[in-house]
Amino acid sequence: MTGTHVTTAAPVSPPAASADHDLVVCQDLVKHFPVTGGFFGRELGRVRAVDGVNLSIRPGETLGLVGESGCGKSTLGRVILRLIEPTAGRVLFEGQDILRYTGRQMRALRRQMQIIFQDPYSSLNPRKTVASIVGEPLAIHKIGTRRERERQVLQLLDVVGLSREHLRRYPHEFSGGQRQRIGIARALALNPKLVVADEPVSALDLSIQAQVINLLEDLQREFHLTYLFIAHDLSVIEHIANRVAVMYLGKIVELAPTERLFSQPLHPYTEALLSAVPIVDPRTKKRRIILEGDVPSPISPPPGCSFHTRCPYAMPECRQVSPPLVEVAPGHQVACLLRYDWRQHVKGGRAA
């Protein structure tokens, strides 16, 4: 995010949390999309968008989720919210398996889980005013009277830096940054605990990106929010996230506290991503790691480690053994046979 100036305050430090107190826990989460063809629409294969993800999000933290386009980041965020139904696995929210919830139970849970979309224009109804867009969640959940909802909408607009005069305007009358602020106000209307921010600044100009990032940080402190922040811009992630999960072909390949991941990356894919981040100081030289070949098809991923076809350090075992995500230092997990004695963690060429 070269050229973007953001405040230098450190990301909000989440409270110490154990596995028993995680806000969200994904267990062996899988989402495969069938590929059909032919006259009878037979299934010809499956796109492995999310392929066995184990992940937790702690209350009050910002967990960054990064990776190349098509790696499954957005799909994972939508599966966690049950906007997309998973193929297998579990999603626990405050200890409850929400995949077992009925429609009525999910409707109530929607108040606790919200999303900020990537494109602030297409995510807003062009036929509705700001008052209607931001107040819609309140109306759907029948919160307060019409006058009380309008007062709350005014408060939300004030929180995100908009004013009363914007109430009766339509989305096309706003800039990209203002539209994203409207989307943020809508996401906050029900006072959620978890907000999935799906590349919320990637469609904005650099100067506007900084404003929106600072706004999200301020709102997190004020409303004690928990973020799953999805992005492909590592400069943004470095600034806003407490921990970072790196995703490749539907799998988490590295997970660590932000400072440690940026200073001591362990997975070759993470190293390659970080080597591409621009450095502000022109006197500092960085060796760029160029990955050879293309990203394999998620319909037919390679056997063993899915990254071995592009990895400069691949061993013969990498073509046969699927590396599990193993903790190699406090809070630092990696799925790479180079970083641990893999024979202790795999059986028969598969993760133990």
Side-chain angles (χ1 to χ4, degrees), residues 14-26 55-63 80-81 91-98 101 109 112-114 191-196 220 223-228 243:
S18 66
D20 295 333
H21 296 91
D22 289 328
L23 182 66
V24 177
V25 177
C26 302
L55 192 67
S56 63
I57 307 175
R58 302 165 184 166
E61 80 165 341
T62 298
L63 176 66
I80 289 174
L81 297 178
V91 177
L92 306 181
F93 186 84
E94 294 187 320
Q96 301 297 313
D97 187 355
I98 67 173
Y101 276 19
L109 185 64
Q112 307 296 325
M113 309 166 72
Q114 292 292 311
N191 193 25
K193 293 181 180 178
L194 172 70
V195 175
V196 174
Q220 184 176 43
F223 295 101
H224 310 290
L225 299 172
T226 301
Y227 291 143
L228 173 61
R243 292 188 301 147

mmCIF file of all heavy atoms in Angstrom, residues 14-26 55-63 80-81 91-98 101 109 112-114 191-196 220 223-228 243:
data_model
loop_
_atom_site.group_PDB
_atom_site.id
_atom_site.type_symbol
_atom_site.label_atom_id
_atom_site.label_comp_id
_atom_site.label_asym_id
_atom_site.label_seq_id
_atom_site.Cartn_x
_atom_site.Cartn_y
_atom_site.Cartn_z
ATOM 1 N N PRO A 14 -5.734 -7.975 21.734
ATOM 2 C CA PRO A 14 -6.870 -8.704 22.253
ATOM 3 C C PRO A 14 -6.569 -9.260 23.627
ATOM 4 O O PRO A 14 -5.408 -9.442 23.990
ATOM 5 C CB PRO A 14 -7.031 -9.846 21.234
ATOM 6 C CG PRO A 14 -5.644 -10.077 20.742
ATOM 7 C CD PRO A 14 -4.983 -8.727 20.732
ATOM 8 N N PRO A 15 -7.587 -9.548 24.426
ATOM 9 C CA PRO A 15 -7.359 -10.165 25.715
ATOM 10 C C PRO A 15 -6.801 -11.560 25.534
ATOM 11 O O PRO A 15 -7.027 -12.212 24.516
ATOM 12 C CB PRO A 15 -8.773 -10.212 26.332
ATOM 13 C CG PRO A 15 -9.700 -10.175 25.165
ATOM 14 C CD PRO A 15 -9.004 -9.342 24.131
ATOM 15 N N ALA A 16 -6.045 -12.016 26.528
ATOM 16 C CA ALA A 16 -5.516 -13.366 26.471
ATOM 17 C C ALA A 16 -6.670 -14.344 26.364
ATOM 18 O O ALA A 16 -7.666 -14.235 27.062
ATOM 19 C CB ALA A 16 -4.674 -13.659 27.722
ATOM 20 N N ALA A 17 -6.547 -15.295 25.460
ATOM 21 C CA ALA A 17 -7.654 -16.218 25.232
ATOM 22 C C ALA A 17 -7.129 -17.630 25.100
ATOM 23 O O ALA A 17 -6.065 -17.879 24.555
ATOM 24 C CB ALA A 17 -8.414 -15.837 23.962
ATOM 25 N N SER A 18 -7.860 -18.564 25.630
ATOM 26 C CA SER A 18 -7.555 -19.970 25.457
ATOM 27 C C SER A 18 -8.515 -20.533 24.434
ATOM 28 O O SER A 18 -9.423 -19.858 23.970
ATOM 29 C CB SER A 18 -7.724 -20.715 26.791
ATOM 30 O OG SER A 18 -9.092 -20.695 27.188
ATOM 31 N N ALA A 19 -8.308 -21.800 24.068
ATOM 32 C CA ALA A 19 -9.183 -22.417 23.080
ATOM 33 C C ALA A 19 -10.631 -22.448 23.547
ATOM 34 O O ALA A 19 -11.557 -22.442 22.745
ATOM 35 C CB ALA A 19 -8.689 -23.836 22.777
ATOM 36 N N ASP A 20 -10.829 -22.478 24.862
ATOM 37 C CA ASP A 20 -12.187 -22.534 25.400
ATOM 38 C C ASP A 20 -12.903 -21.198 25.271
ATOM 39 O O ASP A 20 -14.119 -21.141 25.442
ATOM 40 C CB ASP A 20 -12.151 -22.955 26.878
ATOM 41 C CG ASP A 20 -11.625 -24.372 27.059
ATOM 42 O OD1 ASP A 20 -11.775 -25.168 26.104
ATOM 43 O OD2 ASP A 20 -11.077 -24.680 28.125
ATOM 44 N N HIS A 21 -12.165 -20.125 25.012
ATOM 45 C CA HIS A 21 -12.769 -18.804 24.984
ATOM 46 C C HIS A 21 -12.660 -18.139 23.613
ATOM 47 O O HIS A 21 -12.870 -16.939 23.500
ATOM 48 C CB HIS A 21 -12.113 -17.914 26.054
ATOM 49 C CG HIS A 21 -12.346 -18.399 27.457
ATOM 50 N ND1 HIS A 21 -11.482 -19.256 28.086
ATOM 51 C CD2 HIS A 21 -13.363 -18.162 28.327
ATOM 52 C CE1 HIS A 21 -11.936 -19.512 29.306
ATOM 53 N NE2 HIS A 21 -13.065 -18.876 29.473
ATOM 54 N N ASP A 22 -12.331 -18.909 22.583
ATOM 55 C CA ASP A 22 -12.305 -18.352 21.235
ATOM 56 C C ASP A 22 -13.719 -17.985 20.814
ATOM 57 O O ASP A 22 -14.683 -18.691 21.117
ATOM 58 C CB ASP A 22 -11.727 -19.368 20.243
ATOM 59 C CG ASP A 22 -10.228 -19.571 20.439
ATOM 60 O OD1 ASP A 22 -9.558 -18.608 20.837
ATOM 61 O OD2 ASP A 22 -9.754 -20.689 20.198
ATOM 62 N N LEU A 23 -13.833 -16.876 20.092
ATOM 63 C CA LEU A 23 -15.147 -16.463 19.614
ATOM 64 C C LEU A 23 -15.619 -17.372 18.478
ATOM 65 O O LEU A 23 -16.781 -17.804 18.450
ATOM 66 C CB LEU A 23 -15.094 -15.015 19.126
ATOM 67 C CG LEU A 23 -16.414 -14.426 18.627
ATOM 68 C CD1 LEU A 23 -17.413 -14.310 19.781
ATOM 69 C CD2 LEU A 23 -16.194 -13.066 17.983
ATOM 70 N N VAL A 24 -14.713 -17.666 17.536
ATOM 71 C CA VAL A 24 -15.030 -18.525 16.394
ATOM 72 C C VAL A 24 -13.979 -19.622 16.292
ATOM 73 O O VAL A 24 -12.786 -19.354 16.450
ATOM 74 C CB VAL A 24 -15.057 -17.718 15.078
ATOM 75 C CG1 VAL A 24 -15.325 -18.632 13.886
ATOM 76 C CG2 VAL A 24 -16.105 -16.618 15.137
ATOM 77 N N VAL A 25 -14.431 -20.829 16.038
ATOM 78 C CA VAL A 25 -13.524 -21.951 15.810
ATOM 79 C C VAL A 25 -14.003 -22.717 14.580
ATOM 80 O O VAL A 25 -15.171 -23.120 14.513
ATOM 81 C CB VAL A 25 -13.468 -22.905 17.019
ATOM 82 C CG1 VAL A 25 -12.559 -24.101 16.715
ATOM 83 C CG2 VAL A 25 -12.980 -22.184 18.268
ATOM 84 N N CYS A 26 -13.120 -22.886 13.610
ATOM 85 C CA CYS A 26 -13.402 -23.723 12.439
ATOM 86 C C CYS A 26 -12.670 -25.051 12.615
ATOM 87 O O CYS A 26 -11.470 -25.056 12.901
ATOM 88 C CB CYS A 26 -12.914 -23.050 11.154
ATOM 89 S SG CYS A 26 -13.634 -21.428 10.841
ATOM 90 N N LEU A 55 -9.107 -23.232 12.239
ATOM 91 C CA LEU A 55 -8.781 -21.830 12.504
ATOM 92 C C LEU A 55 -9.609 -21.345 13.680
ATOM 93 O O LEU A 55 -10.750 -21.787 13.868
ATOM 94 C CB LEU A 55 -9.091 -20.992 11.269
ATOM 95 C CG LEU A 55 -8.581 -19.552 11.206
ATOM 96 C CD1 LEU A 55 -7.060 -19.537 11.124
ATOM 97 C CD2 LEU A 55 -9.174 -18.834 9.989
ATOM 98 N N SER A 56 -9.049 -20.441 14.474
ATOM 99 C CA SER A 56 -9.804 -19.833 15.571
ATOM 100 C C SER A 56 -9.606 -18.322 15.543
ATOM 101 O O SER A 56 -8.573 -17.829 15.093
ATOM 102 C CB SER A 56 -9.353 -20.394 16.927
ATOM 103 O OG SER A 56 -7.992 -20.073 17.184
ATOM 104 N N ILE A 57 -10.627 -17.621 15.997
ATOM 105 C CA ILE A 57 -10.576 -16.160 16.096
ATOM 106 C C ILE A 57 -10.895 -15.783 17.528
ATOM 107 O O ILE A 57 -11.939 -16.175 18.065
ATOM 108 C CB ILE A 57 -11.589 -15.503 15.131
ATOM 109 C CG1 ILE A 57 -11.391 -16.016 13.701
ATOM 110 C CG2 ILE A 57 -11.432 -13.979 15.162
ATOM 111 C CD1 ILE A 57 -12.437 -15.511 12.722
ATOM 112 N N ARG A 58 -10.017 -15.014 18.147
ATOM 113 C CA ARG A 58 -10.169 -14.660 19.555
ATOM 114 C C ARG A 58 -11.007 -13.401 19.722
ATOM 115 O O ARG A 58 -11.005 -12.535 18.846
ATOM 116 C CB ARG A 58 -8.785 -14.450 20.186
ATOM 117 C CG ARG A 58 -7.871 -15.655 20.082
ATOM 118 C CD ARG A 58 -6.429 -15.285 20.376
ATOM 119 N NE ARG A 58 -5.537 -16.425 20.177
ATOM 120 C CZ ARG A 58 -4.209 -16.319 20.112
ATOM 121 N NH1 ARG A 58 -3.640 -15.116 20.210
ATOM 122 N NH2 ARG A 58 -3.469 -17.398 19.934
ATOM 123 N N PRO A 59 -11.705 -13.274 20.821
ATOM 124 C CA PRO A 59 -12.519 -12.067 21.041
ATOM 125 C C PRO A 59 -11.645 -10.816 21.052
ATOM 126 O O PRO A 59 -10.591 -10.771 21.689
ATOM 127 C CB PRO A 59 -13.146 -12.308 22.420
ATOM 128 C CG PRO A 59 -13.075 -13.779 22.634
ATOM 129 C CD PRO A 59 -11.836 -14.243 21.935
ATOM 130 N N GLY A 60 -12.059 -9.798 20.325
ATOM 131 C CA GLY A 60 -11.378 -8.516 20.341
ATOM 132 C C GLY A 60 -10.176 -8.391 19.446
ATOM 133 O O GLY A 60 -9.564 -7.326 19.374
ATOM 134 N N GLU A 61 -9.806 -9.441 18.718
ATOM 135 C CA GLU A 61 -8.624 -9.362 17.857
ATOM 136 C C GLU A 61 -9.017 -9.105 16.405
ATOM 137 O O GLU A 61 -10.182 -9.221 16.016
ATOM 138 C CB GLU A 61 -7.808 -10.657 17.942
ATOM 139 C CG GLU A 61 -8.344 -11.800 17.108
ATOM 140 C CD GLU A 61 -7.337 -12.945 16.921
ATOM 141 O OE1 GLU A 61 -6.117 -12.726 17.114
ATOM 142 O OE2 GLU A 61 -7.776 -14.061 16.596
ATOM 143 N N THR A 62 -8.002 -8.773 15.617
ATOM 144 C CA THR A 62 -8.143 -8.726 14.168
ATOM 145 C C THR A 62 -7.275 -9.824 13.597
ATOM 146 O O THR A 62 -6.057 -9.787 13.721
ATOM 147 C CB THR A 62 -7.712 -7.366 13.599
ATOM 148 O OG1 THR A 62 -8.550 -6.337 14.120
ATOM 149 C CG2 THR A 62 -7.811 -7.358 12.080
ATOM 150 N N LEU A 63 -7.921 -10.817 13.002
ATOM 151 C CA LEU A 63 -7.191 -11.899 12.343
ATOM 152 C C LEU A 63 -7.139 -11.591 10.859
ATOM 153 O O LEU A 63 -8.178 -11.505 10.194
ATOM 154 C CB LEU A 63 -7.878 -13.247 12.581
ATOM 155 C CG LEU A 63 -7.244 -14.437 11.846
ATOM 156 C CD1 LEU A 63 -5.833 -14.708 12.386
ATOM 157 C CD2 LEU A 63 -8.109 -15.685 11.968
ATOM 158 N N ILE A 80 -17.998 -19.191 7.188
ATOM 159 C CA ILE A 80 -18.052 -18.922 8.628
ATOM 160 C C ILE A 80 -19.364 -18.236 8.995
ATOM 161 O O ILE A 80 -19.958 -18.516 10.047
ATOM 162 C CB ILE A 80 -16.839 -18.069 9.054
ATOM 163 C CG1 ILE A 80 -15.552 -18.909 8.994
ATOM 164 C CG2 ILE A 80 -17.032 -17.490 10.460
ATOM 165 C CD1 ILE A 80 -14.293 -18.115 9.256
ATOM 166 N N LEU A 81 -19.847 -17.355 8.130
ATOM 167 C CA LEU A 81 -21.106 -16.643 8.381
ATOM 168 C C LEU A 81 -22.333 -17.448 7.940
ATOM 169 O O LEU A 81 -23.460 -16.996 8.124
ATOM 170 C CB LEU A 81 -21.102 -15.305 7.645
ATOM 171 C CG LEU A 81 -20.043 -14.295 8.065
ATOM 172 C CD1 LEU A 81 -20.140 -13.048 7.197
ATOM 173 C CD2 LEU A 81 -20.177 -13.930 9.526
ATOM 174 N N VAL A 91 -18.377 -25.170 12.415
ATOM 175 C CA VAL A 91 -18.098 -23.778 12.748
ATOM 176 C C VAL A 91 -18.718 -23.510 14.113
ATOM 177 O O VAL A 91 -19.942 -23.585 14.267
ATOM 178 C CB VAL A 91 -18.673 -22.790 11.711
ATOM 179 C CG1 VAL A 91 -18.403 -21.353 12.152
ATOM 180 C CG2 VAL A 91 -18.065 -23.023 10.338
ATOM 181 N N LEU A 92 -17.872 -23.225 15.099
ATOM 182 C CA LEU A 92 -18.349 -22.938 16.453
ATOM 183 C C LEU A 92 -18.314 -21.434 16.683
ATOM 184 O O LEU A 92 -17.294 -20.791 16.430
ATOM 185 C CB LEU A 92 -17.488 -23.641 17.498
ATOM 186 C CG LEU A 92 -17.294 -25.151 17.350
ATOM 187 C CD1 LEU A 92 -16.427 -25.686 18.488
ATOM 188 C CD2 LEU A 92 -18.627 -25.879 17.313
ATOM 189 N N PHE A 93 -19.423 -20.881 17.142
ATOM 190 C CA PHE A 93 -19.491 -19.466 17.521
ATOM 191 C C PHE A 93 -19.868 -19.417 18.992
ATOM 192 O O PHE A 93 -20.927 -19.879 19.385
ATOM 193 C CB PHE A 93 -20.532 -18.721 16.672
ATOM 194 C CG PHE A 93 -20.553 -17.239 16.914
ATOM 195 C CD1 PHE A 93 -19.672 -16.411 16.258
ATOM 196 C CD2 PHE A 93 -21.441 -16.669 17.816
ATOM 197 C CE1 PHE A 93 -19.679 -15.038 16.471
ATOM 198 C CE2 PHE A 93 -21.460 -15.311 18.043
ATOM 199 C CZ PHE A 93 -20.574 -14.483 17.370
ATOM 200 N N GLU A 94 -18.938 -18.917 19.802
ATOM 201 C CA GLU A 94 -19.104 -18.922 21.255
ATOM 202 C C GLU A 94 -19.426 -20.326 21.762
ATOM 203 O O GLU A 94 -20.268 -20.532 22.634
ATOM 204 C CB GLU A 94 -20.185 -17.931 21.683
ATOM 205 C CG GLU A 94 -19.809 -16.487 21.399
ATOM 206 C CD GLU A 94 -20.792 -15.486 21.972
ATOM 207 O OE1 GLU A 94 -22.020 -15.739 21.900
ATOM 208 O OE2 GLU A 94 -20.338 -14.452 22.500
ATOM 209 N N GLY A 95 -18.733 -21.312 21.180
ATOM 210 C CA GLY A 95 -18.862 -22.697 21.632
ATOM 211 C C GLY A 95 -20.022 -23.471 21.046
ATOM 212 O O GLY A 95 -20.134 -24.679 21.277
ATOM 213 N N GLN A 96 -20.880 -22.834 20.254
ATOM 214 C CA GLN A 96 -22.054 -23.499 19.687
ATOM 215 C C GLN A 96 -21.840 -23.789 18.205
ATOM 216 O O GLN A 96 -21.383 -22.931 17.462
ATOM 217 C CB GLN A 96 -23.298 -22.625 19.865
ATOM 218 C CG GLN A 96 -23.634 -22.290 21.311
ATOM 219 C CD GLN A 96 -23.968 -23.527 22.128
ATOM 220 O OE1 GLN A 96 -24.750 -24.379 21.690
ATOM 221 N NE2 GLN A 96 -23.382 -23.630 23.315
ATOM 222 N N ASP A 97 -22.167 -25.020 17.797
ATOM 223 C CA ASP A 97 -22.026 -25.409 16.399
ATOM 224 C C ASP A 97 -23.165 -24.789 15.592
ATOM 225 O O ASP A 97 -24.299 -25.281 15.605
ATOM 226 C CB ASP A 97 -22.059 -26.934 16.273
ATOM 227 C CG ASP A 97 -21.753 -27.405 14.854
ATOM 228 O OD1 ASP A 97 -21.610 -26.541 13.964
ATOM 229 O OD2 ASP A 97 -21.667 -28.630 14.633
ATOM 230 N N ILE A 98 -22.872 -23.708 14.881
ATOM 231 C CA ILE A 98 -23.932 -22.971 14.193
ATOM 232 C C ILE A 98 -24.400 -23.683 12.928
ATOM 233 O O ILE A 98 -25.439 -23.330 12.367
ATOM 234 C CB ILE A 98 -23.489 -21.533 13.856
ATOM 235 C CG1 ILE A 98 -22.368 -21.527 12.807
ATOM 236 C CG2 ILE A 98 -23.063 -20.796 15.107
ATOM 237 C CD1 ILE A 98 -22.025 -20.141 12.316
ATOM 238 N N TYR A 101 -27.771 -25.047 13.453
ATOM 239 C CA TYR A 101 -28.846 -24.106 13.765
ATOM 240 C C TYR A 101 -29.953 -24.165 12.712
ATOM 241 O O TYR A 101 -29.699 -24.362 11.519
ATOM 242 C CB TYR A 101 -28.295 -22.673 13.815
ATOM 243 C CG TYR A 101 -27.681 -22.288 15.139
ATOM 244 C CD1 TYR A 101 -27.266 -23.241 16.058
ATOM 245 C CD2 TYR A 101 -27.507 -20.946 15.475
ATOM 246 C CE1 TYR A 101 -26.695 -22.873 17.272
ATOM 247 C CE2 TYR A 101 -26.937 -20.563 16.682
ATOM 248 C CZ TYR A 101 -26.539 -21.536 17.573
ATOM 249 O OH TYR A 101 -25.985 -21.171 18.771
ATOM 250 N N LEU A 109 -28.911 -15.206 15.206
ATOM 251 C CA LEU A 109 -27.453 -15.118 15.268
ATOM 252 C C LEU A 109 -26.903 -14.044 14.330
ATOM 253 O O LEU A 109 -25.810 -13.524 14.557
ATOM 254 C CB LEU A 109 -26.833 -16.477 14.926
ATOM 255 C CG LEU A 109 -25.308 -16.594 15.055
ATOM 256 C CD1 LEU A 109 -24.866 -16.399 16.498
ATOM 257 C CD2 LEU A 109 -24.826 -17.934 14.526
ATOM 258 N N GLN A 112 -25.228 -11.026 15.598
ATOM 259 C CA GLN A 112 -23.885 -11.101 16.171
ATOM 260 C C GLN A 112 -22.789 -11.180 15.106
ATOM 261 O O GLN A 112 -21.617 -11.032 15.418
ATOM 262 C CB GLN A 112 -23.778 -12.340 17.075
ATOM 263 C CG GLN A 112 -24.849 -12.452 18.143
ATOM 264 C CD GLN A 112 -24.776 -11.319 19.137
ATOM 265 O OE1 GLN A 112 -23.697 -10.842 19.461
ATOM 266 N NE2 GLN A 112 -25.926 -10.883 19.633
ATOM 267 N N MET A 113 -23.157 -11.442 13.850
ATOM 268 C CA MET A 113 -22.167 -11.671 12.795
ATOM 269 C C MET A 113 -22.548 -10.851 11.572
ATOM 270 O O MET A 113 -23.647 -11.016 11.035
ATOM 271 C CB MET A 113 -22.124 -13.163 12.431
ATOM 272 C CG MET A 113 -21.956 -14.088 13.616
ATOM 273 S SD MET A 113 -22.326 -15.813 13.205
ATOM 274 C CE MET A 113 -20.910 -16.227 12.204
ATOM 275 N N GLN A 114 -21.669 -9.985 11.124
ATOM 276 C CA GLN A 114 -21.947 -9.129 9.979
ATOM 277 C C GLN A 114 -20.760 -9.132 9.016
ATOM 278 O O GLN A 114 -19.673 -9.610 9.350
ATOM 279 C CB GLN A 114 -22.261 -7.707 10.437
ATOM 280 C CG GLN A 114 -23.574 -7.579 11.193
ATOM 281 C CD GLN A 114 -24.781 -7.816 10.309
ATOM 282 O OE1 GLN A 114 -24.891 -7.256 9.226
ATOM 283 N NE2 GLN A 114 -25.699 -8.656 10.774
ATOM 284 N N ASN A 191 -24.983 -3.976 16.332
ATOM 285 C CA ASN A 191 -23.973 -4.128 17.384
ATOM 286 C C ASN A 191 -23.396 -5.547 17.412
ATOM 287 O O ASN A 191 -23.487 -6.263 18.414
ATOM 288 C CB ASN A 191 -24.576 -3.769 18.753
ATOM 289 C CG ASN A 191 -23.498 -3.603 19.815
ATOM 290 O OD1 ASN A 191 -22.345 -3.297 19.502
ATOM 291 N ND2 ASN A 191 -23.866 -3.829 21.067
ATOM 292 N N PRO A 192 -22.794 -5.995 16.301
ATOM 293 C CA PRO A 192 -22.304 -7.374 16.216
ATOM 294 C C PRO A 192 -21.044 -7.596 17.043
ATOM 295 O O PRO A 192 -20.358 -6.648 17.429
ATOM 296 C CB PRO A 192 -22.007 -7.534 14.721
ATOM 297 C CG PRO A 192 -21.604 -6.153 14.309
ATOM 298 C CD PRO A 192 -22.478 -5.217 15.099
ATOM 299 N N LYS A 193 -20.733 -8.872 17.268
ATOM 300 C CA LYS A 193 -19.476 -9.239 17.923
ATOM 301 C C LYS A 193 -18.384 -9.526 16.892
ATOM 302 O O LYS A 193 -17.212 -9.239 17.126
ATOM 303 C CB LYS A 193 -19.694 -10.466 18.804
ATOM 304 C CG LYS A 193 -20.603 -10.229 19.997
ATOM 305 C CD LYS A 193 -20.760 -11.474 20.836
ATOM 306 C CE LYS A 193 -21.671 -11.209 22.039
ATOM 307 N NZ LYS A 193 -21.869 -12.435 22.856
ATOM 308 N N LEU A 194 -18.786 -10.125 15.757
ATOM 309 C CA LEU A 194 -17.841 -10.483 14.706
ATOM 310 C C LEU A 194 -18.187 -9.743 13.424
ATOM 311 O O LEU A 194 -19.344 -9.720 13.007
ATOM 312 C CB LEU A 194 -17.885 -11.996 14.444
ATOM 313 C CG LEU A 194 -17.076 -12.489 13.238
ATOM 314 C CD1 LEU A 194 -15.571 -12.367 13.509
ATOM 315 C CD2 LEU A 194 -17.441 -13.935 12.898
ATOM 316 N N VAL A 195 -17.172 -9.154 12.800
ATOM 317 C CA VAL A 195 -17.337 -8.525 11.492
ATOM 318 C C VAL A 195 -16.317 -9.141 10.540
ATOM 319 O O VAL A 195 -15.113 -9.106 10.801
ATOM 320 C CB VAL A 195 -17.139 -6.995 11.550
ATOM 321 C CG1 VAL A 195 -17.191 -6.405 10.149
ATOM 322 C CG2 VAL A 195 -18.187 -6.345 12.440
ATOM 323 N N VAL A 196 -16.812 -9.723 9.445
ATOM 324 C CA VAL A 196 -15.938 -10.222 8.386
ATOM 325 C C VAL A 196 -15.764 -9.093 7.376
ATOM 326 O O VAL A 196 -16.725 -8.682 6.725
ATOM 327 C CB VAL A 196 -16.529 -11.470 7.707
ATOM 328 C CG1 VAL A 196 -15.672 -11.881 6.509
ATOM 329 C CG2 VAL A 196 -16.632 -12.622 8.706
ATOM 330 N N GLN A 220 -13.286 -0.519 16.281
ATOM 331 C CA GLN A 220 -12.973 -1.726 17.051
ATOM 332 C C GLN A 220 -12.747 -1.394 18.518
ATOM 333 O O GLN A 220 -13.233 -2.093 19.410
ATOM 334 C CB GLN A 220 -11.728 -2.411 16.482
ATOM 335 C CG GLN A 220 -11.399 -3.739 17.176
ATOM 336 C CD GLN A 220 -10.232 -4.436 16.534
ATOM 337 O OE1 GLN A 220 -9.228 -3.803 16.204
ATOM 338 N NE2 GLN A 220 -10.342 -5.730 16.349
ATOM 339 N N PHE A 223 -16.349 -0.204 20.016
ATOM 340 C CA PHE A 223 -17.441 -1.170 20.110
ATOM 341 C C PHE A 223 -16.962 -2.581 20.439
ATOM 342 O O PHE A 223 -17.758 -3.519 20.412
ATOM 343 C CB PHE A 223 -18.233 -1.192 18.790
ATOM 344 C CG PHE A 223 -18.927 0.096 18.494
ATOM 345 C CD1 PHE A 223 -18.389 1.008 17.587
ATOM 346 C CD2 PHE A 223 -20.110 0.435 19.126
ATOM 347 C CE1 PHE A 223 -19.029 2.210 17.306
ATOM 348 C CE2 PHE A 223 -20.759 1.636 18.859
ATOM 349 C CZ PHE A 223 -20.216 2.524 17.951
ATOM 350 N N HIS A 224 -15.658 -2.747 20.739
ATOM 351 C CA HIS A 224 -15.098 -4.044 21.121
ATOM 352 C C HIS A 224 -15.382 -5.101 20.055
ATOM 353 O O HIS A 224 -15.850 -6.203 20.352
ATOM 354 C CB HIS A 224 -15.649 -4.482 22.480
ATOM 355 C CG HIS A 224 -15.543 -3.437 23.542
ATOM 356 N ND1 HIS A 224 -14.323 -3.055 24.092
ATOM 357 C CD2 HIS A 224 -16.488 -2.666 24.142
ATOM 358 C CE1 HIS A 224 -14.528 -2.104 24.987
ATOM 359 N NE2 HIS A 224 -15.832 -1.849 25.030
ATOM 360 N N LEU A 225 -15.094 -4.757 18.819
ATOM 361 C CA LEU A 225 -15.377 -5.638 17.698
ATOM 362 C C LEU A 225 -14.255 -6.662 17.496
ATOM 363 O O LEU A 225 -13.103 -6.436 17.881
ATOM 364 C CB LEU A 225 -15.539 -4.829 16.412
ATOM 365 C CG LEU A 225 -16.664 -3.792 16.386
ATOM 366 C CD1 LEU A 225 -16.559 -2.941 15.129
ATOM 367 C CD2 LEU A 225 -18.023 -4.479 16.462
ATOM 368 N N THR A 226 -14.613 -7.773 16.879
ATOM 369 C CA THR A 226 -13.653 -8.780 16.440
ATOM 370 C C THR A 226 -13.711 -8.822 14.921
ATOM 371 O O THR A 226 -14.794 -8.921 14.338
ATOM 372 C CB THR A 226 -14.004 -10.161 17.013
ATOM 373 O OG1 THR A 226 -14.002 -10.093 18.444
ATOM 374 C CG2 THR A 226 -13.010 -11.217 16.555
ATOM 375 N N TYR A 227 -12.551 -8.744 14.266
ATOM 376 C CA TYR A 227 -12.509 -8.709 12.809
ATOM 377 C C TYR A 227 -11.842 -9.962 12.247
ATOM 378 O O TYR A 227 -10.797 -10.408 12.750
ATOM 379 C CB TYR A 227 -11.695 -7.516 12.295
ATOM 380 C CG TYR A 227 -12.299 -6.149 12.507
ATOM 381 C CD1 TYR A 227 -11.489 -5.064 12.810
ATOM 382 C CD2 TYR A 227 -13.668 -5.922 12.370
ATOM 383 C CE1 TYR A 227 -12.013 -3.794 12.987
ATOM 384 C CE2 TYR A 227 -14.206 -4.662 12.551
ATOM 385 C CZ TYR A 227 -13.383 -3.598 12.862
ATOM 386 O OH TYR A 227 -13.912 -2.336 13.032
ATOM 387 N N LEU A 228 -12.445 -10.495 11.176
ATOM 388 C CA LEU A 228 -11.716 -11.350 10.249
ATOM 389 C C LEU A 228 -11.474 -10.470 9.034
ATOM 390 O O LEU A 228 -12.407 -10.153 8.287
ATOM 391 C CB LEU A 228 -12.529 -12.595 9.879
ATOM 392 C CG LEU A 228 -11.911 -13.464 8.773
ATOM 393 C CD1 LEU A 228 -10.543 -13.985 9.186
ATOM 394 C CD2 LEU A 228 -12.835 -14.616 8.386
ATOM 395 N N ARG A 243 -2.944 -11.129 14.369
ATOM 396 C CA ARG A 243 -2.396 -12.384 13.861
ATOM 397 C C ARG A 243 -2.716 -12.480 12.373
ATOM 398 O O ARG A 243 -3.643 -11.841 11.891
ATOM 399 C CB ARG A 243 -2.998 -13.605 14.576
ATOM 400 C CG ARG A 243 -2.597 -13.737 16.046
ATOM 401 C CD ARG A 243 -3.076 -15.080 16.608
ATOM 402 N NE ARG A 243 -4.531 -15.213 16.504
ATOM 403 C CZ ARG A 243 -5.172 -16.360 16.290
ATOM 404 N NH1 ARG A 243 -4.478 -17.477 16.116
ATOM 405 N NH2 ARG A 243 -6.491 -16.398 16.220
#
